[in-house]
Amino acid sequence: MTSTTRWAILFLAPPLALFAGAVAVPTVMALQLSFTDATLLGDAADWIGLENFRDAFGDQHVRKSIRITLLWTLGGFLIPPALGLGAATMLQSNSRFAVTMKSALFVPIVMSLVVVGQVWIWIYEPGDGLLNRILGAVGLGGLEQAWLANRSTAFFAVFIAWAWQQTVLAMILYLAGLATIPVTLTEAAQVDGATRFQVFRQVTVPLLRPVTTVVLSLIAINSLRNFDLVYAMTRGGPVRETETMPILVYRVLFRELERGRASAISIILFAVTLVIVGGLTWWGRRRSHAV
Amino acid sequence: MRTRTRKTSRGWLLPVLVAITLMAAACGADDEEAAPSPTPPPPANEAATEPPPPPAEDPPPPPAEPAPAGLGSIEVAHYYGSDLGQQAIIDINASFTAGDAEISPIEHEAFKDQILVALAGGSPPDVFSYWAGARTAAVQEQGQLQPITAVFDGADVWGDFPQALVDAGIYEGEPYLLPFGFHYVAFFYNPSVMADAGVAEMPETWDELIAAADAVSASGAKPFALGSMNRWPAQFWFDFLMLRTAGPDYRAQLMSGDASYTDAEVTEVLELWAGLADAGYFVDDANAYTWTDAADQVANGEAAMTLMGTWITGYWDGNGLTPVDDYDFFNFPVIDTSIENAALGPIDGWAVSADAANPEGAFALLEHYATPENQLDWAIGQGALPPNSRADTSQLNPVMAKALVEVGRADSYSFNYDLATPPPVAEFGLDMFQAFMDDPSSYAELQAETQDAAAEAFAG
Amino acid sequence: MPSRAAPAHAGTGAEKAEAPVVGEDRRAGLLRRRGGPIALVVFVVIFLIPVIGVLLTSLKTNAEIARRGIWSATGNLTIDNYLEVWRNANTGRYLINSLQVTGPAVAVSIIGGTLIGYTVAKLRIRGSAFILLVVLSGLFVPPQVLLVPLFTIFNDLNLLDTLWPMIIVHSAVGLSITSLVMRNFFDQIPDSLRSAARIDGANEGQVLLKVMLPLARPAIAALATLQFTFIWNDFLYPLVFTTDDDVRTIMLGLLAAQGQFTVAYGNQAALAVIASIPTVLVFLAFQKHFIRGLLAGAIKG
């Protein structure tokens, strides 16, 4: 064994032991249940092979929840990065004014989702909510409604609250990315006669692609793990319209008391996440080589 | 690279570990990085494992009394959220001298999950509050509770509690749950709104209810407030319409999977309910509100009535309303005179977990919870009805006293939907009620969907 | 471990992030012209409405809120809610508990992540890729399914109703993100730095401690912020692993306040603000590093 190997083992052993004890072992304990009909409170469980998975794919609620989660992720890919990049472009300056604005804009991301959920509930309230008040004030009173209770608006209402926070994340990362683009590059392009928009599209955006990969990966992970905010705002309702996969796992485990099925749905979520994040990473690398 | 001697390698190990330890310690506690294979914890004593400075000032509400030797400490968990209710339990525990009852109040919704994890993980509290009916049955069936025959004998629950309440505590032939407070669901109304609408006599029949609703509508208020955001408040409509049209026997079959949600009986219930919704009797956007919002709507006159349990009196009293003057109730009207008068509501009780560390203490505490005095104190504090019939009910507020009379007059007492049918099935039924409030005309589809899901859930 | 694809080539000319600052100001000036700042302020205010809503609510009396709603503009502001929340609830204790969980868990997860990240990126022993993959997969496990197994483990260890379960779980769960970020960071540090130090006679421990760690400060600052926010705001684990009021965290206090019968929006909002102060402070303190550290590997910085 080389000394480097010995050091490597020395460095790795403590954190990996911690990880094994508190994450890996419990995960395996939980996941092996996906092949059984284990209940939450019962002791006995029979091995039933892949039945939980077959059931899950045949279950309209599981399919709906996968759809909701994917739609959420897709929305997350489109809206927060676009708004975040826009905001970052506007704020990209070190003047005292811009720095103050930036500091203020950071606040949403450190707020607990419990608080974020509560304040957005206040915004969406049917009677007195801010959104309805504004709509009323600008003569759009006809649009006033119970945003979180209406089955056709609940998803978007919760999504917007979430996207609000994720936009800040995207903005922060893009601000950092913009700071690394040498001005000489964009100025050269402008001297060559390109308009500002052309420069932005053809020079800035491609150069930011690696940052975009990071942004999209974080957003993908956040949207696929999304539990706290939905729990705080709707608990998956009304009538499962906002039931993301983590919420479904929670419901199957704690309300329907089926541990085996909950574990199987977790594995499906795990697989979905892996495909999306793996795909993104691949995309990011391929594109950054291609540029 | 291989020239490094072992000695030097080791020489650097120490500083690294010291640095790790220091950095962690600087942040307020020892690090457990160095001992990821579980540090053998000191004995079950919390004081020993709890990280350093326990802030001394203002101790949490619990035990004010010194812990007397006797039966030692008993861990108690409950889900009662109101300030008055929490205080009542603290007071009742304070008068328990045989042991030391340590309470953890847990937020109502969180309690539902936390207790299940604690039971599944093998470390439940000794004593915990739970809902009589299908929820207790689900826990008991899995061997998570122990029989409390000693309590029923010791406190003479058999003799002092009405039969319906004794029955609510019995599962598979043995007592498992001590009834602590029970409730009665009825139309709670705002007398001044009813008076403004010219409704002098409270409805006793379906036609009178419709007439009253029309009168209220005409006066500009909404007849019925309903806050079904958390789904369960809508269930009482389904429960009562079914009890009054199909009767308790059919309902029991539906709850146990022996009848179908596509039956004509269910259709009739949903048609009646849809008729009320179509007539505009319900507040708009019921799914956007909680039951306390609905209570507020009645209190402030936006709506006249809400179909809710007697715990609403605890909420209103806490907000400074006066019984009789500011609120009152009437029984859910008769629809079919050939059908018996069934009362409806949940029963809160105490259970002792099978893995309880201190069962003797738990039994003694439950006996304490069963006395007429403590049941009365609790009933007054929480806005519940006392199961022990020896409790001095003259001290109840007049509305609650009237509720007790109504329950006594009823031919039978049933649990509300989410306590009457097994929890996995209730999940789907509650979804159905919420979907129904969203779009009452969709009831036929909802019936079919619910039946599919319920059949599957009953099958296991 | 197969050497990873080169981190992006964004830095084509400039080596340092600081370089473009001067020109950047000029460009921003071009962008802004006149109405720029005003548009910006409007955007920021609209964006911050939810934050402003919490702040305003926390400064209104409950009676005022009951009478005129949460969103009414009001002249009478008061700090009574703060005083009441501070006096009544166990707010102080909850805050201390939250600190006692968050501090150690942030430290341990970052130390662990640094060790893993460095080993994988620089020592490159066989199986590094696999190790990293396993640790990263922790990011994708829904925490709900871990609750029961973890509860059983902590029960066996007699640690329930202490702060240890939260400290241990967050330390371990955090390893996924910290390992990833530190790996990316060390990846872009030239190997020559390490070999030079080794030739000078330093062993691997010395290299990490004396050479690499000082360089890693931005990444560590970024992770500290991220982990602090994440752990501070978590309510799932404390909810399940504690029943004793003495060991509850501030997030549970917040949750309990929302579950109360008597809805006191003013107090709730005041508690929410108090609960957010530590994360805001940490964020402001590490702001500059935060950004560069997270992007390690994606950009040169």
Side-chain angles (χ1 to χ4, degrees), chain A residues 28-71:
Chain A
V28 173
M29 277 164 78
L31 297 190
Q32 69 184 11
L33 292 175
S34 63
F35 304 106
T36 71
D37 60 359
T39 59
L40 181 57
L41 296 172
D43 289 332
D46 289 327
W47 187 267
I48 54 168
L50 292 173
E51 203 178 308
N52 284 326
F53 293 92
R54 269 199 301 274
D55 279 2
F57 285 115
D59 183 339
Q60 53 156 335
H61 299 303
V62 177
R63 288 206 303 257
K64 176 164 186 179
S65 166
I66 294 177
R67 270 204 308 279
I68 287 175
T69 303
L70 290 179
L71 190 60

Short mmCIF file of all heavy atoms in Angstrom, two decimals, chain A residues 28-71:
data_model
loop_
_atom_site.label_atom_id
_atom_site.label_comp_id
_atom_site.label_asym_id
_atom_site.label_seq_id
_atom_site.Cartn_x
_atom_site.Cartn_y
_atom_site.Cartn_z
N VAL A 28 -30.67 1.63 2.63
CA VAL A 28 -30.79 0.23 2.21
C VAL A 28 -31.89 -0.46 3.01
O VAL A 28 -32.72 -1.20 2.47
CB VAL A 28 -29.44 -0.50 2.37
CG1 VAL A 28 -29.61 -1.99 2.11
CG2 VAL A 28 -28.41 0.09 1.43
N MET A 29 -31.93 -0.16 4.32
CA MET A 29 -32.99 -0.74 5.15
C MET A 29 -34.36 -0.39 4.59
O MET A 29 -35.28 -1.22 4.53
CB MET A 29 -32.91 -0.19 6.59
CG MET A 29 -31.92 -0.89 7.50
SD MET A 29 -31.56 0.10 9.00
CE MET A 29 -33.00 -0.21 9.99
N ALA A 30 -34.51 0.87 4.18
CA ALA A 30 -35.81 1.33 3.69
C ALA A 30 -36.09 0.73 2.32
O ALA A 30 -37.20 0.29 2.04
CB ALA A 30 -35.84 2.85 3.61
N LEU A 31 -35.07 0.70 1.47
CA LEU A 31 -35.32 0.32 0.09
C LEU A 31 -35.58 -1.17 -0.07
O LEU A 31 -36.33 -1.59 -0.94
CB LEU A 31 -34.17 0.79 -0.80
CG LEU A 31 -34.00 2.31 -0.83
CD1 LEU A 31 -33.02 2.73 -1.90
CD2 LEU A 31 -35.34 3.03 -1.02
N GLN A 32 -34.98 -1.97 0.79
CA GLN A 32 -35.24 -3.40 0.64
C GLN A 32 -36.72 -3.69 0.93
O GLN A 32 -37.27 -4.68 0.47
CB GLN A 32 -34.33 -4.21 1.54
CG GLN A 32 -34.66 -4.06 3.01
CD GLN A 32 -33.67 -4.83 3.89
OE1 GLN A 32 -32.66 -5.29 3.41
NE2 GLN A 32 -33.99 -4.95 5.16
N LEU A 33 -37.35 -2.76 1.68
CA LEU A 33 -38.77 -2.95 1.96
C LEU A 33 -39.63 -2.80 0.71
O LEU A 33 -40.78 -3.21 0.70
CB LEU A 33 -39.23 -1.94 3.01
CG LEU A 33 -38.68 -2.15 4.41
CD1 LEU A 33 -39.11 -1.02 5.32
CD2 LEU A 33 -39.14 -3.48 4.97
N SER A 34 -39.06 -2.18 -0.33
CA SER A 34 -39.87 -1.95 -1.53
C SER A 34 -40.25 -3.26 -2.20
O SER A 34 -41.12 -3.29 -3.04
CB SER A 34 -39.13 -1.03 -2.50
OG SER A 34 -37.97 -1.67 -2.93
N PHE A 35 -39.56 -4.32 -1.85
CA PHE A 35 -39.91 -5.62 -2.43
C PHE A 35 -40.81 -6.43 -1.50
O PHE A 35 -40.99 -7.62 -1.70
CB PHE A 35 -38.64 -6.41 -2.74
CG PHE A 35 -37.70 -5.66 -3.64
CD1 PHE A 35 -36.55 -5.10 -3.14
CD2 PHE A 35 -38.01 -5.50 -4.99
CE1 PHE A 35 -35.70 -4.38 -3.97
CE2 PHE A 35 -37.15 -4.78 -5.82
CZ PHE A 35 -36.00 -4.21 -5.31
N THR A 36 -41.32 -5.78 -0.46
CA THR A 36 -42.19 -6.48 0.49
C THR A 36 -43.51 -5.75 0.63
O THR A 36 -43.67 -4.64 0.12
CB THR A 36 -41.54 -6.53 1.89
OG1 THR A 36 -41.57 -5.21 2.44
CG2 THR A 36 -40.11 -7.00 1.83
N ASP A 37 -44.43 -6.38 1.33
CA ASP A 37 -45.71 -5.72 1.59
C ASP A 37 -45.72 -5.12 2.99
O ASP A 37 -46.75 -5.09 3.65
CB ASP A 37 -46.87 -6.69 1.39
CG ASP A 37 -46.78 -7.89 2.33
OD1 ASP A 37 -45.80 -7.95 3.11
OD2 ASP A 37 -47.68 -8.74 2.29
N ALA A 38 -44.56 -4.64 3.45
CA ALA A 38 -44.46 -4.11 4.81
C ALA A 38 -45.44 -2.97 5.04
O ALA A 38 -45.68 -2.14 4.16
CB ALA A 38 -43.04 -3.61 5.06
N THR A 39 -46.02 -2.94 6.23
CA THR A 39 -46.84 -1.81 6.62
C THR A 39 -46.04 -0.98 7.62
O THR A 39 -44.98 -1.41 8.09
CB THR A 39 -48.14 -2.26 7.29
OG1 THR A 39 -47.81 -3.03 8.44
CG2 THR A 39 -48.97 -3.08 6.33
N LEU A 40 -46.54 0.19 7.94
CA LEU A 40 -45.77 1.06 8.84
C LEU A 40 -45.71 0.48 10.25
O LEU A 40 -44.69 0.53 10.90
CB LEU A 40 -46.39 2.46 8.86
CG LEU A 40 -45.67 3.48 9.74
CD1 LEU A 40 -44.20 3.62 9.33
CD2 LEU A 40 -46.34 4.83 9.67
N LEU A 41 -46.83 -0.08 10.71
CA LEU A 41 -46.88 -0.48 12.11
C LEU A 41 -46.69 -1.97 12.35
O LEU A 41 -46.43 -2.40 13.46
CB LEU A 41 -48.21 -0.03 12.72
CG LEU A 41 -48.40 1.47 12.77
CD1 LEU A 41 -49.81 1.82 13.20
CD2 LEU A 41 -47.41 2.12 13.71
N GLY A 42 -46.86 -2.76 11.31
CA GLY A 42 -46.80 -4.21 11.50
C GLY A 42 -45.36 -4.72 11.51
O GLY A 42 -44.45 -4.07 11.00
N ASP A 43 -45.16 -5.88 12.09
CA ASP A 43 -43.82 -6.46 12.13
C ASP A 43 -43.55 -7.33 10.91
O ASP A 43 -42.50 -7.27 10.31
CB ASP A 43 -43.64 -7.31 13.40
CG ASP A 43 -43.56 -6.43 14.62
OD1 ASP A 43 -43.13 -5.28 14.47
OD2 ASP A 43 -43.96 -6.88 15.71
N ALA A 44 -44.52 -8.16 10.59
CA ALA A 44 -44.31 -9.14 9.54
C ALA A 44 -44.43 -8.50 8.17
O ALA A 44 -45.23 -7.59 7.95
CB ALA A 44 -45.33 -10.25 9.67
N ALA A 45 -43.60 -8.96 7.24
CA ALA A 45 -43.70 -8.49 5.87
C ALA A 45 -43.28 -9.62 4.95
O ALA A 45 -42.32 -10.32 5.23
CB ALA A 45 -42.79 -7.28 5.65
N ASP A 46 -44.05 -9.81 3.88
CA ASP A 46 -43.71 -10.87 2.93
C ASP A 46 -43.03 -10.29 1.71
O ASP A 46 -43.33 -9.18 1.28
CB ASP A 46 -44.99 -11.60 2.50
CG ASP A 46 -45.55 -12.44 3.64
OD1 ASP A 46 -44.73 -12.95 4.43
OD2 ASP A 46 -46.78 -12.54 3.74
N TRP A 47 -42.12 -11.08 1.18
CA TRP A 47 -41.45 -10.71 -0.05
C TRP A 47 -42.44 -10.83 -1.19
O TRP A 47 -43.05 -11.86 -1.40
CB TRP A 47 -40.27 -11.67 -0.27
CG TRP A 47 -39.42 -11.29 -1.41
CD1 TRP A 47 -39.53 -11.74 -2.70
CD2 TRP A 47 -38.30 -10.40 -1.39
NE1 TRP A 47 -38.55 -11.17 -3.48
CE2 TRP A 47 -37.79 -10.35 -2.70
CE3 TRP A 47 -37.70 -9.64 -0.37
CZ2 TRP A 47 -36.70 -9.55 -3.03
CZ3 TRP A 47 -36.61 -8.85 -0.72
CH2 TRP A 47 -36.12 -8.81 -2.03
N ILE A 48 -42.64 -9.72 -1.93
CA ILE A 48 -43.60 -9.81 -3.03
C ILE A 48 -42.97 -9.40 -4.34
O ILE A 48 -43.65 -9.03 -5.30
CB ILE A 48 -44.86 -8.95 -2.76
CG1 ILE A 48 -44.46 -7.52 -2.44
CG2 ILE A 48 -45.70 -9.53 -1.65
CD1 ILE A 48 -45.63 -6.56 -2.46
N GLY A 49 -41.64 -9.42 -4.39
CA GLY A 49 -40.94 -9.13 -5.64
C GLY A 49 -41.23 -7.73 -6.15
O GLY A 49 -41.18 -6.77 -5.39
N LEU A 50 -41.59 -7.65 -7.42
CA LEU A 50 -41.74 -6.34 -8.04
C LEU A 50 -43.17 -5.82 -8.00
O LEU A 50 -43.49 -4.84 -8.66
CB LEU A 50 -41.26 -6.40 -9.49
CG LEU A 50 -39.75 -6.62 -9.64
CD1 LEU A 50 -39.38 -6.84 -11.10
CD2 LEU A 50 -38.98 -5.43 -9.07
N GLU A 51 -44.01 -6.46 -7.22
CA GLU A 51 -45.43 -6.10 -7.27
C GLU A 51 -45.67 -4.63 -6.95
O GLU A 51 -46.50 -3.97 -7.58
CB GLU A 51 -46.21 -6.98 -6.30
CG GLU A 51 -47.68 -7.07 -6.69
CD GLU A 51 -48.42 -8.00 -5.74
OE1 GLU A 51 -47.96 -9.14 -5.57
OE2 GLU A 51 -49.44 -7.57 -5.18
N ASN A 52 -44.94 -4.10 -5.94
CA ASN A 52 -45.13 -2.69 -5.60
C ASN A 52 -44.84 -1.78 -6.79
O ASN A 52 -45.49 -0.76 -6.98
CB ASN A 52 -44.22 -2.29 -4.44
CG ASN A 52 -44.74 -2.80 -3.11
OD1 ASN A 52 -45.95 -2.88 -2.91
ND2 ASN A 52 -43.83 -3.17 -2.23
N PHE A 53 -43.84 -2.17 -7.58
CA PHE A 53 -43.49 -1.34 -8.73
C PHE A 53 -44.55 -1.46 -9.82
O PHE A 53 -44.93 -0.46 -10.43
CB PHE A 53 -42.12 -1.75 -9.28
CG PHE A 53 -41.01 -1.43 -8.32
CD1 PHE A 53 -40.57 -2.37 -7.40
CD2 PHE A 53 -40.42 -0.17 -8.31
CE1 PHE A 53 -39.57 -2.06 -6.50
CE2 PHE A 53 -39.41 0.14 -7.42
CZ PHE A 53 -38.98 -0.81 -6.50
N ARG A 54 -45.01 -2.70 -10.02
CA ARG A 54 -46.08 -2.86 -11.02
C ARG A 54 -47.30 -2.06 -10.61
O ARG A 54 -47.88 -1.33 -11.41
CB ARG A 54 -46.44 -4.34 -11.14
CG ARG A 54 -45.64 -5.08 -12.20
CD ARG A 54 -46.34 -6.38 -12.59
NE ARG A 54 -46.52 -7.27 -11.46
CZ ARG A 54 -45.58 -8.14 -11.05
NH1 ARG A 54 -44.43 -8.22 -11.68
NH2 ARG A 54 -45.81 -8.94 -10.02
N ASP A 55 -47.67 -2.17 -9.34
CA ASP A 55 -48.82 -1.40 -8.83
C ASP A 55 -48.63 0.09 -9.05
O ASP A 55 -49.53 0.80 -9.46
CB ASP A 55 -48.99 -1.63 -7.33
CG ASP A 55 -49.72 -2.92 -7.05
OD1 ASP A 55 -50.05 -3.61 -8.03
OD2 ASP A 55 -49.95 -3.23 -5.87
N ALA A 56 -47.42 0.54 -8.72
CA ALA A 56 -47.15 1.97 -8.79
C ALA A 56 -47.35 2.49 -10.21
O ALA A 56 -48.00 3.51 -10.42
CB ALA A 56 -45.74 2.27 -8.31
N PHE A 57 -46.83 1.76 -11.19
CA PHE A 57 -46.96 2.26 -12.55
C PHE A 57 -48.39 2.15 -13.05
O PHE A 57 -48.81 2.88 -13.94
CB PHE A 57 -45.99 1.54 -13.49
CG PHE A 57 -44.58 2.02 -13.30
CD1 PHE A 57 -43.60 1.18 -12.81
CD2 PHE A 57 -44.25 3.35 -13.56
CE1 PHE A 57 -42.31 1.64 -12.60
CE2 PHE A 57 -42.96 3.82 -13.35
CZ PHE A 57 -41.99 2.96 -12.87
N GLY A 58 -49.17 1.25 -12.46
CA GLY A 58 -50.56 1.14 -12.85
C GLY A 58 -51.46 2.12 -12.12
O GLY A 58 -52.61 2.30 -12.46
N ASP A 59 -50.92 2.77 -11.09
CA ASP A 59 -51.74 3.62 -10.22
C ASP A 59 -51.83 5.02 -10.79
O ASP A 59 -50.81 5.70 -10.96
CB ASP A 59 -51.09 3.64 -8.82
CG ASP A 59 -51.91 4.43 -7.82
OD1 ASP A 59 -52.73 5.27 -8.26
OD2 ASP A 59 -51.72 4.22 -6.62
N GLN A 60 -53.05 5.46 -11.06
CA GLN A 60 -53.20 6.80 -11.67
C GLN A 60 -52.63 7.90 -10.79
O GLN A 60 -52.16 8.91 -11.28
CB GLN A 60 -54.67 7.06 -11.99
CG GLN A 60 -55.58 6.86 -10.81
CD GLN A 60 -56.88 7.65 -10.94
OE1 GLN A 60 -56.93 8.65 -11.62
NE2 GLN A 60 -57.92 7.18 -10.27
N HIS A 61 -52.70 7.71 -9.45
CA HIS A 61 -52.20 8.76 -8.57
C HIS A 61 -50.69 8.87 -8.65
O HIS A 61 -50.13 9.95 -8.59
CB HIS A 61 -52.63 8.50 -7.13
CG HIS A 61 -54.11 8.48 -6.97
ND1 HIS A 61 -54.91 9.53 -7.32
CD2 HIS A 61 -54.96 7.52 -6.53
CE1 HIS A 61 -56.18 9.23 -7.09
NE2 HIS A 61 -56.23 8.01 -6.61
N VAL A 62 -50.03 7.71 -8.77
CA VAL A 62 -48.58 7.74 -8.91
C VAL A 62 -48.22 8.39 -10.24
O VAL A 62 -47.33 9.27 -10.31
CB VAL A 62 -47.99 6.32 -8.84
CG1 VAL A 62 -46.49 6.36 -9.06
CG2 VAL A 62 -48.31 5.68 -7.50
N ARG A 63 -48.93 8.00 -11.28
CA ARG A 63 -48.62 8.58 -12.59
C ARG A 63 -48.85 10.08 -12.58
O ARG A 63 -48.05 10.85 -13.10
CB ARG A 63 -49.46 7.91 -13.67
CG ARG A 63 -49.01 6.47 -13.96
CD ARG A 63 -49.39 6.07 -15.37
NE ARG A 63 -50.83 6.21 -15.56
CZ ARG A 63 -51.68 5.19 -15.55
NH1 ARG A 63 -51.23 3.96 -15.40
NH2 ARG A 63 -52.97 5.38 -15.73
N LYS A 64 -49.94 10.49 -11.94
CA LYS A 64 -50.23 11.92 -11.88
C LYS A 64 -49.12 12.66 -11.12
O LYS A 64 -48.69 13.74 -11.51
CB LYS A 64 -51.57 12.15 -11.18
CG LYS A 64 -51.87 13.62 -11.00
CD LYS A 64 -53.33 13.85 -10.67
CE LYS A 64 -53.60 15.35 -10.66
NZ LYS A 64 -54.99 15.67 -10.37
N SER A 65 -48.68 12.02 -10.03
CA SER A 65 -47.65 12.65 -9.23
C SER A 65 -46.34 12.76 -10.00
O SER A 65 -45.62 13.77 -9.89
CB SER A 65 -47.49 11.82 -7.96
OG SER A 65 -46.34 12.16 -7.31
N ILE A 66 -46.02 11.75 -10.81
CA ILE A 66 -44.82 11.83 -11.65
C ILE A 66 -44.99 12.99 -12.64
O ILE A 66 -44.07 13.80 -12.84
CB ILE A 66 -44.57 10.51 -12.40
CG1 ILE A 66 -44.24 9.39 -11.39
CG2 ILE A 66 -43.45 10.65 -13.41
CD1 ILE A 66 -44.05 8.02 -12.01
N ARG A 67 -46.18 13.08 -13.22
CA ARG A 67 -46.43 14.18 -14.17
C ARG A 67 -46.24 15.53 -13.49
O ARG A 67 -45.60 16.43 -14.04
CB ARG A 67 -47.86 14.08 -14.72
CG ARG A 67 -47.99 13.26 -15.97
CD ARG A 67 -49.24 13.65 -16.78
NE ARG A 67 -50.47 13.67 -16.00
CZ ARG A 67 -51.18 12.58 -15.71
NH1 ARG A 67 -50.78 11.40 -16.14
NH2 ARG A 67 -52.29 12.67 -15.01
N ILE A 68 -46.82 15.67 -12.29
CA ILE A 68 -46.72 16.95 -11.58
C ILE A 68 -45.25 17.27 -11.31
O ILE A 68 -44.79 18.39 -11.53
CB ILE A 68 -47.52 16.89 -10.27
CG1 ILE A 68 -49.01 16.93 -10.58
CG2 ILE A 68 -47.14 18.04 -9.34
CD1 ILE A 68 -49.91 16.76 -9.37
N THR A 69 -44.51 16.27 -10.86
CA THR A 69 -43.11 16.50 -10.55
C THR A 69 -42.32 16.90 -11.80
O THR A 69 -41.48 17.80 -11.76
CB THR A 69 -42.51 15.23 -9.92
OG1 THR A 69 -43.28 14.91 -8.76
CG2 THR A 69 -41.07 15.45 -9.51
N LEU A 70 -42.60 16.23 -12.91
CA LEU A 70 -41.86 16.55 -14.14
C LEU A 70 -42.24 17.94 -14.65
O LEU A 70 -41.38 18.71 -15.08
CB LEU A 70 -42.13 15.50 -15.21
CG LEU A 70 -41.50 14.12 -14.93
CD1 LEU A 70 -41.83 13.15 -16.04
CD2 LEU A 70 -39.99 14.25 -14.76
N LEU A 71 -43.53 18.26 -14.57
CA LEU A 71 -43.99 19.57 -15.02
C LEU A 71 -43.32 20.64 -14.17
O LEU A 71 -42.88 21.69 -14.64
CB LEU A 71 -45.51 19.65 -14.88
CG LEU A 71 -46.19 20.86 -15.50
CD1 LEU A 71 -45.92 20.90 -16.99
CD2 LEU A 71 -47.70 20.81 -15.24
#
